[in-house]
Amino acid sequence: MAAIVWHYPEDELARLQAQAGELSGQEKNAAPVVGIDALNFHYTIQVVQGAPVWTPVQVFDDGRRTFVRFPSAMVLREAPALFVLRDAQTQLVNYRVKNDTYVIDRLIDAAELRVGQKDQEIVRIARAAPDAVPTPTHRGIPR
């Protein structure tokens, strides 16, 4: 069965403009580039319950957002839910997943990652004061 298709330039132009608008919106939502010296790595990671294989390997913030990096093995497992701790209460918080990292659009003082119902695995994340975290010492190699 034969078919006839018409293409109108106005429709094509409108489609291209809509695509351009979507792309510019995505660019606005992209994270701005931040210098590494502006990042805060002063977070503690503590396993509270269980023996999770998904324990985060790194937590840091850029002054606006908090980033939680997981081991690559976590990609193949059940992902933990993130709860912010506030006034001895837990609140489920929104976050985005980008590869092996949770991106939380705010700074967190304390949070828990949880997997399971009955036998939960719980990992607590807490932001430490900069002077509470020991500064790593580097020893030069004698020549």
Side-chain angles (χ1 to χ4, degrees):
M1 181 166 160
I4 298 174
V5 179
W6 283 274
H7 292 280
Y8 295 100
E10 300 86 22
D11 293 343
E12 194 66 22
L13 179 62
R15 185 182 63 78
L16 291 172
Q17 287 175 334
Q19 284 179 344
E22 289 176 18
L23 288 175
S24 68
Q26 289 174 356
E27 289 174 6
K28 288 178 185 175
N29 291 336
V33 177
V34 176
I36 195 160
D37 56 337
L39 298 177
N40 173 22
F41 291 93
H42 299 294
Y43 284 84
T44 60
I45 301 168
Q46 173 190 11
V47 175
V48 176
Q49 187 173 319
V53 297
W54 48 262
T55 301
V57 293
Q58 188 177 54
V59 180
F60 61 96
D61 71 65
D62 65 359
R64 292 183 29 211
R65 286 176 300 274
T66 306
F67 302 86
V68 181
R69 285 193 50 231
F70 291 94
S72 58
M74 199 273 301
V75 175
L76 304 173
R77 300 186 178 273
E78 182 180 3
L82 177 71
F83 296 89
V84 171
L85 300 175
R86 178 176 279 162
D87 301 326
Q89 303 259 337
T90 57
Q91 298 175 338
L92 190 60
V93 67
N94 291 331
Y95 54 88
R96 294 186 308 279
V97 178
K98 185 150 177 101
N99 299 324
D100 62 351
T101 305
Y102 283 7
V103 180
I104 304 118
D105 287 324
R106 64 185 224 190
L107 297 178
I108 57 171
D109 290 323
E112 286 185 351
L113 295 157
R114 296 178 179 214
V115 168
Q117 293 285 331
K118 186 176 179 184
D119 297 323
Q120 284 191 338
E121 295 178 321
I122 302 173
V123 174
R124 184 166 294 144
I125 299 168
R127 184 168 37 172
D131 54 349
V133 177
T135 306
T137 56
H138 301 283
R139 294 192 173 140
I141 299 173
R143 295 184 184 208

